[in-house]
Amino acid sequence: MIEKINDITYSILNDLKELNEYIYNNPELGNEEFKSSKAHIELLKKYGFQVEEEYLGIKTGFKAYYKSKKEGPAISYLSEYDALPKIGHGCGHNLLGTTSTGAAIVLKHLLDDIGGTVVVFGTPAEETNGAKVKMVEEGAFEGIDVAMLAHPSSTYSKSGTSLAMEAIQFTFKGKASHAASDPDKGINALDAVIMTFNSINALREHILPSARIHGIIREGGKAANIVPDLAIAQFYVRTSRKAYLQKLTEKVKNCARGAALATGASLQISNYELGYDDLVTNETLSEIFTKNLKSQGVQNPDNIKLTFGSVDMGNVSHVCPAIHPYFGIHGDDSIAAHTEEFRDATLTDKAYENMIITINALVNTGVQVIQNKDLLEKIREEFNASKN
């Protein structure tokens, strides 16, 4: 089967390269990916997919699908295509989306023989307000049996974990006054922000080592001789498990509440971005994918990538068996993600060589899930157990 899959992948390779390079040359920020989403949609339509554009009201999101005449499981691949400010595709989402869309097209060629359905979700804004969050909330993954994507990286790594994350904004409002002649008439909102930072720094001694809290001051006053009447701080709070995130976030909020009480400033708490759940890898599905990489000669693809970042694929993994592995595109550990060097590596021969291997593994994993009822049942059992 892998040889047949490989032949199909090579038959569409020129189209995939064109897609990858077009998106590379037209980087768009999250929820602004009009050219990128259109390019994916046009390619999927070319290969016979039905497409729901502006899916769930998300302007640059889509759902593309092909259902064979034979009943069978629904396999989904998730395409990302948002870029970073100034850097462009420093996270490699041009190649990530191309890999997912390519895998769906290849699997579609096989479905009339083996049965089942293949679905591609175009998921904008992973770097900020991840569309997968809304898709999960709106029930997009109901009826989906497995969800997969593979992210470009320096080397191959198994699907592991990610941190649950909440993005909190603290807006303090005080009272302006002349800072020299009438300081007693003012309420310093910036002092409340600074006290919040100091309280959070004291809190760090009493949080789990895996947790992360980091923030910035978005607004801190206009002039040194005016008591700041408005100050805004934004924080990311991250933990390895969703349940602990709720507890830690409340402690962080209490730091801000205490600062407001101490200074007399009023406090408004809000979320400035969508929160992400922790990634729960389905190990049964992950093992099949890893074996399919090994069968193509990939060395050490079963190392687990330890990440302290957060991904909206985490939300998907709480409603559907999912994996989020990484595939190498350059092999140079000195090249970090979110850099121009990483961006340019997505166009190299090495990147395309490993994209082909990864597409083949994603497709063969889908085939095995469709054809092996016992495997699918094991995947479902693990997923159900993970929710308890």
Side-chain angles (χ1 to χ4, degrees), residues 28-83:
E28 299 165 300
L29 301 180
N31 294 318
E32 299 175 9
E33 316 99 318
F34 294 99
K35 293 179 180 178
S36 300
S37 60
K38 183 179 179 181
H40 278 276
I41 288 167
E42 288 180 348
L43 184 60
L44 287 160
K45 285 183 175 179
K46 174 182 175 179
Y47 284 100
F49 281 76
Q50 300 294 314
V51 182
E52 296 179 32
E53 300 183 37
E54 297 188 17
Y55 183 56
L56 299 177
I58 303 168
K59 294 293 185 180
T60 56
F62 66 84
K63 176 183 177 181
Y65 58 93
Y66 178 82
K67 182 178 177 64
S68 71
K69 294 180 180 179
K70 297 180 181 179
E71 290 298 319
I75 309 299
S76 69
Y77 301 105
L78 285 72
S79 293
E80 299 172 6
Y81 32 80
D82 60 321

Side-chain angles (χ1 to χ4, degrees), residues 40-253:
H40 278 276
I41 288 167
E42 288 180 348
L43 184 60
L44 287 160
K45 285 183 175 179
K46 174 182 175 179
Y47 284 100
F49 281 76
Q50 300 294 314
V51 182
E52 296 179 32
E53 300 183 37
E54 297 188 17
Y55 183 56
L56 299 177
I58 303 168
K59 294 293 185 180
T60 56
F62 66 84
K63 176 183 177 181
Y65 58 93
Y66 178 82
K67 182 178 177 64
S68 71
K69 294 180 180 179
K70 297 180 181 179
E71 290 298 319
I75 309 299
S76 69
Y77 301 105
L78 285 72
S79 293
E80 299 172 6
Y81 32 80
D82 60 321
L84 297 163
K86 297 183 180 180
I87 297 173
H89 281 285
C91 204
H93 289 173
N94 54 318
L95 190 63
L96 186 160
T98 299
T99 302
S100 291
T101 291
I105 293 170
V106 175
L107 181 59
K108 185 257 181 186
H109 281 75
L110 305 169
L111 287 190
D112 288 339
D113 291 329
I114 66 174
T117 301
V118 60
V119 180
V120 186
F121 291 102
T123 61
E126 190 278 330
E127 296 289 349
T128 50
N129 279 310
K132 299 183 194 68
V133 178
K134 181 175 182 179
M135 290 180 179
V136 167
E137 292 174 348
E138 295 288 333
F141 292 89
E142 293 178 7
I144 298 295
D145 289 284
V146 298
M148 296 182 279
L149 66 76
H151 200 298
S153 185
S154 57
T155 57
Y156 281 89
S157 302
K158 284 180 69 173
S159 181
T161 60
S162 68
L163 299 185
M165 179 274 289
E166 185 165 354
I168 311 173
Q169 177 168 298
F170 299 125
T171 301
F172 293 94
K173 294 182 179 179
K175 184 178 180 182
S177 181
H178 195 293
S181 62
D182 295 299
D184 56 301
K185 297 178 181 178
I187 297 175
N188 196 317
L190 179 59
D191 280 346
V193 164
I194 293 171
M195 290 181 69
T196 300
F197 271 87
N198 288 337
S199 296
I200 289 172
N201 285 336
L203 177 65
R204 295 182 197 280
E205 183 181 356
H206 306 288
I207 67 176
L208 293 176
S210 59
R212 297 289 187 271
I213 309 171
H214 42 103
I216 62 168
I217 299 175
R218 288 295 304 271
E219 175 69 53
K222 301 300 183 183
N225 63 346
I226 302 173
V227 174
D229 64 346
L230 176 67
I232 301 172
Q234 293 180 336
F235 289 89
Y236 284 123
V237 182
R238 306 180 196 255
T239 64
S240 59
R241 290 290 182 268
K242 182 179 179 180
Y244 181 56
L245 177 65
Q246 296 169 345
K247 296 178 182 178
L248 181 56
T249 297
E250 191 61 25
K251 291 182 179 181
V252 171
K253 289 178 179 178

